[in-house]
């Protein structure tokens, strides 16, 4: 089992950047595929980005491709989401997720961190 804690959210102006972090606890945290999802007010939660266990395979939603970068540091059991050129429509609660085998469906979730992009 793995526990996830996100940090790094906040208020940013359109065009700005934010880096989210997700700290994973547990002896086998580096064995998990990791993902970032987001949920905007009144909308369903949606996939944003994912990364495989070694960090060499990454996956992005079309809406964030070219602006967001997911990475991981297995020595620190931490996954990052660098978000650049932010838009007001990126405003959402961002959730970190982990799963042993899947990329787009996850078993473990963090509590979420709010990102608000002002126009």
């Amino acid at each position: 089992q793995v526990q996830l804690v996100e940090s790094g959210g906040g208020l940013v102006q359109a065009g700005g950047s934010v880096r989210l972090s997700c700290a994973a606890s547990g002896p086998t945290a580096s064995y998990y595929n990791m993902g970032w999802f987001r949920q905007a007010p009144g909308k369903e939660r949606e996939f944003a980005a994912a990364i495989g266990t070694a960090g060499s395979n990454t996956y992005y939603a079309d809406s964030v491709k070219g602006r967001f970068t997911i990475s991981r540091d297995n020595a620190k059991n931490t996954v990052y989401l660098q978000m650049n050129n932010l838009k007001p429509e990126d405003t959402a609660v961002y959730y970190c997720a982990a799963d042993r085998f899947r990329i787009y469906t996850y078993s473990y979730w963090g509590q979420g961190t709010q990102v608000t992009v002002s126009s």
Side-chain angles (χ1 to χ4, degrees):
Q1 191 169 359
V2 63
Q3 295 181 327
L4 307 171
V5 178
E6 303 98 332
S7 60
L11 176 64
V12 62
Q13 290 188 333
S17 299
V18 167
R19 188 176 81 158
L20 304 182
S21 299
C22 173
S25 63
T28 59
S30 62
Y31 296 168
Y32 286 75
N33 298 318
M34 302 293 292
W36 286 97
F37 287 71
R38 65 185 185 180
Q39 186 168 19
K43 296 186 177 181
E44 293 187 353
R45 186 164 56 189
E46 65 175 9
F47 169 79
I51 189 167
T53 54
S56 55
N57 294 324
T58 56
Y59 310 83
Y60 296 95
D62 288 343
S63 58
V64 308
K65 198 173 296 182
R67 300 187 299 120
F68 292 10
T69 302
I70 188 171
S71 62
R72 67 189 298 164
D73 184 339
N74 284 339
K76 296 182 179 179
N77 283 344
T78 301
V79 175
Y80 306 97
L81 186 66
Q82 178 67 45
M83 305 188 294
N84 298 328
N85 190 21
L86 284 161
K87 305 175 181 180
E89 53 263 41
D90 294 318
T91 295
V93 177
Y94 284 73
Y95 297 90
C96 177
D99 195 272
R100 276 288 277 123
F101 304 107
R102 298 171 293 186
I103 289 295
Y104 296 105
T105 305
Y106 289 82
S107 299
Y108 303 102
W109 294 85
Q111 83 288 352
T113 185
Q114 176 72 46
V115 174
T116 302
V117 184
S118 63
S119 58

